[in-house]
Amino acid sequence: MKNVLGSALKSCSYDPMTGAFRDGFCKYSEQDPGLHIVAAKVTKEFLDWNKSRGNDLISPKPQWSFLGLKPGDWWCVCMGVWLKSKEAGYPLYLKLESCHEKMLDYTSLETLKKWEYKE
């Protein structure tokens, strides 16, 4: 698997455990209709906005071994949600080495580099 930079895909997060398959990676799979390929650092504003849209990532869901996200967590976000969050004014910064190369089917590397997280 490769990332948007053309090198080996790196893990996004093990704490919290993320990825469509809860393996820490934002990898592409045809079994994942949500396209959880975007390694993004979530913010309070994003989490509140996403919850208002019906996708509550804040509240724990023990039945799924999900503890809930807090601002600053890294998470594999759906490609469509990331694009919509930017349009809505709640953009998320990215860990490019952990973003699956499939993102390049939807946006350019130049655009992605503008959203690269820098410490």
Side-chain angles (χ1 to χ4, degrees), residues 30-119:
E30 290 183 7
Q31 288 85 31
D32 173 22
L35 285 174
H36 293 83
I37 57 177
V38 182
K41 188 174 186 108
V42 299
T43 63
K44 178 183 183 334
E45 295 78 15
F46 168 82
L47 292 169
D48 290 343
W49 168 79
N50 207 37
K51 184 177 181 179
S52 76
R53 297 175 64 246
N55 186 12
D56 181 2
L57 296 173
I58 301 167
S59 301
K61 295 172 184 70
Q63 68 274 27
W64 297 335
S65 300
F66 178 71
L67 302 176
L69 297 181
K70 61 188 181 316
D73 284 343
W74 286 97
W75 195 248
C76 294
V77 176
C78 297
M79 185 69 214
V81 171
W82 182 71
L83 292 170
K84 287 177 185 162
S85 72
K86 289 190 329 163
E87 292 171 12
Y90 306 103
L92 298 177
Y93 287 94
L94 309 172
K95 191 186 299 185
L96 297 183
E97 64 270 9
S98 302
C99 289
H100 193 278
E101 66 183 344
K102 184 79 172 163
M103 284 185 74
L104 298 174
D105 289 353
Y106 301 92
T107 191
S108 69
L109 182 57
E110 182 180 338
T111 296
L112 295 176
K113 285 185 174 182
K114 290 177 186 173
W115 294 103
E116 182 175 13
Y117 179 77
K118 296 181 175 117
E119 303 219 23

